[in-house]
C-alpha cells in the first residue's frame, strides 16, 4: 500500500506536534501534546488520532467519536515508536529508516482497525 508520511507538519509549536499519514483514499492525522516547560526534556503527554478523507471530512469511529485518544499500553507503545522517529539514529540514517517508519505505520493501522469501521474508510 502506497503512503506518504509527513512528520512535524505546519502549525507545529514546541508543545504540539502534528503528523500526517496519507494513503490513496484517506489520511490519518496524529496530534502529539508535550510537556510545556522548554527547559525540561520533552515528555509526551497525550496523543490524539483522527482519520479523514482526502478532502478533510472527519470520519467517525465505532463509538461515534471523530478521534481516538491513546491510553495505557497503546500510549506507551506509541511513545516508543514516536521517539524512534525523533531519534538521532533515525535522522542520520544509522538505523534502517524504512523499518522504523513501517513499525510506526503498522501501529497506526492497528489503531485504525480497532477503532474505525474500515468499510466506511475505503
Amino acid at each position: 500500500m502506497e503512503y506518504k508520511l509527513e512528520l512535524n507538519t505546519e502549525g507545529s509549536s514546541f508543545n504540539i506536534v502534528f503528523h500526517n499519514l496519507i494513503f490513496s483514499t484517506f489520511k490519518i492525522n496524529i496530534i502529539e501534546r508535550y510537556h510545556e516547560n522548554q527547559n525540561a526534556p520533552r515528555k509526551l503527554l497525550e496523543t490524539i488520532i483522527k482519520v479523514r478523507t482526502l478532502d478533510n471530512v472527519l470520519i467517525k469511529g465505532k463509538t461515534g467519536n471523530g478521534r481516538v485518544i491513546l491510553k495505557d499500553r497503546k500510549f506507551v507503545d506509541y511513545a516508543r515508536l514516536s521517539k524512534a522517529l525523533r531519534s538521532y539514529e533515525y535522522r542520520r540514517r544509522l538505523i534502517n529508516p524504512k523499518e522504523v517508519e513501517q513499525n510506526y505505520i503498522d501501529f497506526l493501522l492497528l489503531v485504525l482497525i480497532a477503532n474505525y469501521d474500515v468499510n466506511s474508510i475505503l
Side-chain angles (χ1 to χ4, degrees), residues 15 18 25 37 43 55 64 71 87 108 111 115 121-122:
N15 62 337
F18 299 98
T25 58
N37 188 353
K43 180 180 178 186
D55 21 335
K71 295 180 183 178
S87 72
L108 291 173
V111 170
N115 294 290
I121 297 171
L122 302 173

Side-chain angles (χ1 to χ4, degrees), residues 73-106:
R73 184 69 187 157
K74 286 184 180 181
F75 178 75
V76 172
D77 291 342
Y78 178 82
R80 179 181 48 81
L81 293 168
S82 179
K83 185 176 181 179
L85 283 174
R86 295 187 320 267
S87 72
Y88 174 83
E89 292 83 7
Y90 174 79
R91 290 191 314 262
R92 299 289 183 233
R93 303 208 182 270
L94 299 174
I95 57 177
N96 185 356
K98 286 292 181 187
E99 183 178 328
V100 173
E101 288 176 10
Q102 193 61 50
N103 290 338
Y104 184 76
I105 291 165
D106 289 346

Side-chain angles (χ1 to χ4, degrees), residues 25-26 51-53 59 112 116-122:
T25 58
F26 66 95
V51 178
R52 298 176 184 270
T53 63
I59 298 173
L112 181 130
Y116 291 88
D117 181 18
V118 180
N119 292 329
S120 66
I121 297 171
L122 302 173

